[in-house]
């Protein structure tokens, strides 16, 4: 039994490391592709570039943005550790989301993924009903709601306790 638990723990740990490495690699590739795309002068919405290296750089931006978004949505707690390493990655994520939105290459499903990614990173305001089911740590809004519910119930309990107060009583010795 203890062996199985340690194997599961080791497997889970290696899966987390792999996911972290994938997110890290995705951002590094995205960073290099961004430089190539901006140097080529490609403007989103234009026809694809004729030169092979420019098309590859554009494909790297589109693919790695989608990959990073998928990893972010499915493993948000792990990905935030990688993402929060530098301000440069925040700027890169902002650029890649807006760039990919403007290219209008993604289909409806990928466009939805891109929008969810932007909400998760708080690049756009979150929808009131937005919840990432893969998040292990409760979201701040959930914590605020839970605290307000606890305060409301504690206030109700205090009122009930206040009503139960009675006047002085005689002890058994006094009877």
């Amino acid at each position: 039994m203890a062996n199985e638990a340690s194997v599961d723990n080791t497997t889970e740990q290696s899966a987390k490391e792999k996911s972290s490495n994938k997110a890290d690699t995705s951002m590094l590739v995205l960073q290099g592709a961004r430089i190539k795309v901006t140097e080529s002068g490609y403007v989103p919405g234009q026809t694809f570039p004729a030169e092979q290296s420019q098309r590859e750089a554009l494909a790297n931006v589109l693919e790695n943005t989608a990959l990073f978004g998928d990893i972010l949505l499915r493993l948000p707690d792990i990905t935030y550790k990688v993402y929060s390493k530098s301000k440069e990655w925040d700027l890169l994520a902002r650029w890649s989301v807006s760039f990919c939105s403007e290219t209008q290459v993604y289909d409806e499903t990928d466009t939805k993924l891109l929008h969810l990614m932007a909400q998760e990173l708080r690049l756009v305001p979150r929808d009131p009903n937005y919840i990432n089911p893969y998040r292990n740590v409760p979201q701040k809004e959930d914590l605020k709601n839970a605290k307000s519910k606890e305060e409301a119930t504690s206030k109700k309990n205090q009122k009930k306790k206040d009503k139960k107060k009675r006047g002085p009583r005689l002890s058994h010795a006094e009877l």
Side-chain angles (χ1 to χ4, degrees):
M1 281 291 210
N3 254 353
E4 289 177 15
S6 65
V7 168
D8 288 342
N9 191 20
T10 305
T11 305
E12 183 179 317
Q13 186 69 18
S14 66
K16 287 180 180 180
E17 289 174 9
K18 286 179 184 178
S19 300
S20 177
N21 289 341
K22 284 181 184 178
D24 196 25
T25 304
S26 173
M27 290 301 277
L28 291 174
V29 170
L30 191 58
Q31 194 171 28
R34 176 188 179 187
I35 292 169
K36 290 178 184 176
V37 167
T38 53
E39 285 176 352
S40 72
Y42 177 77
V43 177
Q46 290 180 342
T47 58
F48 284 125
E51 189 177 319
Q52 181 68 24
S53 64
Q54 292 175 350
R55 281 192 305 226
E56 286 177 5
L58 180 60
N60 278 335
V61 169
L62 296 171
E63 290 172 359
N64 283 290
T65 300
L67 175 64
F68 181 72
D70 194 39
I71 293 170
L72 172 72
L73 292 173
R74 294 188 189 276
L75 302 165
D77 301 320
I78 297 168
T79 309
Y80 273 113
K81 290 178 185 175
V82 174
Y83 178 74
S84 63
K85 283 183 181 178
S86 71
K87 181 73 174 166
E88 187 175 317
W89 286 19
D90 178 50
L91 296 173
L92 183 61
R94 289 177 188 276
W95 176 83
S96 65
V97 168
S98 67
F99 183 86
C100 291
S101 295
E102 291 173 12
T103 59
Q104 300 177 345
V105 173
Y106 289 150
D107 63 359
E108 186 178 335
T109 306
D110 291 334
T111 302
K112 187 181 275 187
L113 171 106
L114 196 64
H115 183 65
L116 291 172
M117 175 187 172
Q119 287 183 65
E120 183 68 31
L121 293 174
R122 298 186 186 272
L123 303 178
V124 297
R126 286 187 174 176
D127 292 334
N129 298 328
Y130 176 80
I131 294 174
N132 187 343
Y134 297 105
R135 183 174 291 282
N136 291 334
V137 178
Q139 295 177 350
K140 290 182 182 179
E141 292 84 13
D142 296 339
L143 292 175
K144 288 178 184 176
N145 291 337
K147 285 182 182 179
S148 63
K149 287 180 184 178
E150 287 177 16
E151 290 174 3
T153 56
S154 66
K155 286 180 182 178
K156 288 180 184 178
N157 290 339
Q158 287 177 352
K159 288 180 182 178
K160 288 180 182 178
K161 288 179 184 178
D162 291 342
K163 290 180 183 179
K164 291 182 180 180
K165 288 184 180 178
R166 299 180 186 167
R169 296 182 181 212
L170 296 174
S171 66
H172 292 288
E174 292 175 0
L175 292 174

